[in-house]
Amino acid sequence: MNEKNQAPLRCGLLGEHLSHSFSPLIHSLLADYPYELYEVSRDCLGEWVRNNDLSGYNVTIPYKTEIMQYCDALSPQAEKIGAVMLGGGLPKHYTLASNLLKGGIDA
């Protein structure tokens, strides 16, 4: 369960070719929630974004710009750089940097 005794977090990485990713390993060492890879083809991106049941997800190449069209709202930073790196309702305190800090590693 997460900090507010809600349903357990489920998170992951959205991209196209992810077999090289160390993200699941890193999150397993630094976080207390499952983190999986989601390889989604370009033609299924919109459907995946609308129908996934994740708490939140990171977005990587090649979808950082394409995913913007599926966002309900964009931060000023995302608008400025023209890319999105985090999707879903994941609270900011569940970022990798915050988990590093919790583990005593200065990020």
Side-chain angles (χ1 to χ4, degrees), residues 59 63-69 71-87 92:
V59 182
Y63 300 137
K64 288 179 184 263
T65 56
E66 286 185 42
I67 200 165
M68 293 176 76
Q69 65 185 307
C71 295
D72 293 331
L74 296 171
S75 70
Q77 296 89 346
E79 289 179 353
K80 183 175 181 177
I81 65 171
V84 172
M85 297 174 22
L86 185 68
K92 288 183 180 179

Side-chain angles (χ1 to χ4, degrees), residues 26-40:
I26 293 167
H27 281 264
S28 73
L29 297 171
L30 299 173
D32 61 352
Y33 50 83
Y35 191 93
E36 298 180 28
L37 301 177
Y38 295 90
E39 291 186 345
V40 177

Side-chain angles (χ1 to χ4, degrees), residues 14-71:
L14 169 64
E16 195 170 43
H17 303 289
L18 303 174
S19 61
H20 64 282
S21 176
F22 288 102
S23 293
L25 174 63
I26 293 167
H27 281 264
S28 73
L29 297 171
L30 299 173
D32 61 352
Y33 50 83
Y35 191 93
E36 298 180 28
L37 301 177
Y38 295 90
E39 291 186 345
V40 177
S41 64
R42 189 174 307 270
D43 59 326
C44 296
L45 181 61
E47 180 180 348
W48 188 90
V49 170
R50 287 187 295 275
N51 296 315
N52 80 78
D53 62 350
L54 298 176
S55 308
Y57 51 92
N58 296 100
V59 182
T60 192
I61 295 171
Y63 300 137
K64 288 179 184 263
T65 56
E66 286 185 42
I67 200 165
M68 293 176 76
Q69 65 185 307
Y70 304 108
C71 295

